[in-house]
């Protein structure tokens, strides 16, 4: 298997090329990073690209989609729940759908939370591309445009992604790779949701509103991500820059 990555300096978002073999078939996963390294790898490996698989509709994951469609004639594929936000899709994908590309078999997992139609893509039994649901040491926020909600995110991670093989490599939508096993053992959010580590539960201002800060942990970009509970009981994952607390 061939796996190549391009990363945006601005957003730290990743675009991926996954191929079965040199001279074979490939898919693209997300289109927010500079396309030149991906297009070069396509040429050098003499690949036929069959699909552009989009984890979700945010601009840092799709801004170059039309470049790939024009240069490689590959259909843009995403979850039906985000058809409007994508501005239309060539192929609509749902939970459990299988995409075949040469010797590749790719299974789509619907993992809502960060967005309603967020998808992860499992390639064989080796790799999962998690978009903005799961990162190395962090998780996706639940206040982005088109978001679902905290309970969706937690369920997507604990009941879908964490049930994959512990040895499976995780290729996130931003920053560096990890494994399912490493995130199960070390991700601060997952440990808190499992009841392994206690939560902080101290007062804060989140999005300018009184709330309780349950957890603050390092995010993929060097900042922090926070798990908060508002006075009405609502839970959210939001950027640490939007949370003020006595020790901030």
């Amino acid at each position: 298997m061939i796996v190549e990555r391009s990363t945006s300096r601005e957003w730290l978002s990743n675009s991926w090329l996954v191929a079965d073999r040199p001279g074979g078939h490939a898919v693209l996963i997300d289109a927010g990073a500079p396309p030149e390294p991906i297009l070069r790898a396509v040429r050098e490996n003499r690949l036929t690209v069959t699909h552009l698989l989009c984890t979700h509709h945010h601009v840092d994951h799709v801004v170059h989609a039309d470049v790939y469609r024009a240069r490689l004639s590959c259909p843009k594929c995403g979850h039906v729940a985000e058809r409007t936000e994508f501005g239309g899709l060539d192929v609509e994908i749902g939970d459990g759908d299988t995409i075949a590309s040469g010797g590749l078999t790719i299974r789509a997992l619907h993992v809502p939370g960060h967005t309603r139609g967020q998808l992860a893509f499992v390639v064989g039994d080796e790799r999962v591309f998690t978009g903005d649901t799961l990162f190395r040491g962090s998780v996706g926020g639940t206040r982005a445009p088109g978001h679902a909600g905290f309970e969706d995110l937690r369920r997507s991670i604990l009941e879908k992604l964490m049930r994959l093989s512990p040895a499976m490599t995780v290729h996130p939508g931003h920053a560096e790779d990890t494994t399912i096993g490493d995130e199960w053992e070390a991700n601060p959010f997952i440990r808190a949701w499992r009841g392994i580590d206690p939560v902080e539960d101290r007062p804060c201002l989140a999005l300018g509103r009184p709330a309780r800060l349950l957890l603050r942990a390092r995010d993929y970009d060097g900042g922090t991500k926070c798990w908060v509970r508002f006075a009405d009981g609502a839970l959210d994952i939001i950027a640490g820059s939007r949370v003020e607390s006595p020790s901030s």
Side-chain angles (χ1 to χ4, degrees):
M1 187 184 300
I2 300 168
V3 179
E4 298 284 347
R5 177 177 71 172
S6 178
T7 301
S8 164
R9 291 184 179 181
E10 179 181 4
W11 294 311
L12 302 182
S13 55
N14 297 320
S15 296
W16 303 92
L17 171 72
V18 186
D20 56 0
R21 59 182 176 81
H25 292 78
V27 299
L28 307 174
I29 300 177
D30 282 345
E36 290 78 12
I38 300 294
L39 293 171
R40 182 169 59 249
V42 169
R43 292 193 302 272
E44 291 175 350
N45 288 284
R46 309 177 314 282
L47 299 172
T48 299
V49 177
T50 60
H51 301 77
L52 168 58
L53 304 176
C54 301
T55 61
H56 62 298
H57 70 275
H58 289 164
V59 65
D60 54 337
H61 294 262
V62 300
V63 67
H64 300 296
D66 287 343
V67 173
Y68 290 123
R69 292 169 79 201
R71 297 282 294 275
L72 303 174
S73 299
C74 54
K76 181 171 67 172
C77 313
H79 196 276
V80 61
E82 298 184 15
R83 180 199 302 118
T84 300
E85 290 87 345
F86 276 116
L89 290 165
D90 301 311
V91 177
E92 296 174 355
I93 300 174
D95 186 47
D97 286 354
T98 298
I99 299 97
S101 180
L104 298 174
T105 300
I106 302 156
R107 179 165 54 98
L109 294 179
H110 184 209
V111 286
H114 184 68
T115 65
R116 293 186 303 275
Q118 186 88 192
L119 289 169
F121 297 103
V122 180
V123 181
D125 295 320
E126 300 177 42
R127 304 169 188 271
V128 59
F129 296 80
T130 56
D132 282 6
T133 300
L134 178 68
F135 307 118
R136 182 176 182 177
S138 188
V139 298
T142 56
R143 281 300 183 100
H147 65 84
F150 171 78
E151 291 300 339
D152 294 300
L153 181 79
R154 177 162 58 180
R155 186 163 47 249
S156 293
I157 292 173
L158 294 183
E159 297 182 14
K160 289 196 172 181
L161 295 178
M162 290 299 110
R163 291 185 179 180
L164 299 172
S165 167
M168 187 173 286
T169 299
V170 173
H171 298 294
H174 295 265
E176 299 306 315
D177 296 347
T178 182
T179 67
I180 293 295
D182 284 348
E183 296 313 301
W184 178 256
E185 295 295 339
N187 187 298
F189 295 94
I190 295 172
R191 289 179 61 86
W193 299 341
R194 293 173 58 202
I196 302 299
D197 294 336
V199 297
E200 298 182 52
D201 198 8
R202 54 192 172 88
C204 68
L205 281 178
L207 305 175
R209 297 163 50 196
R212 305 290 296 186
L213 175 61
L214 304 179
L215 174 65
R216 184 189 292 269
R218 187 175 177 84
D219 204 8
Y220 67 81
D221 60 359
T224 62
K225 191 76 67 63
C226 293
W227 178 24
V228 301
R229 182 179 64 244
F230 291 98
D232 62 0
L235 296 162
D236 263 313
I237 303 289
I238 59 179
S241 60
R242 306 298 303 278
V243 177
E244 302 174 41
S245 62
S247 59
S248 294

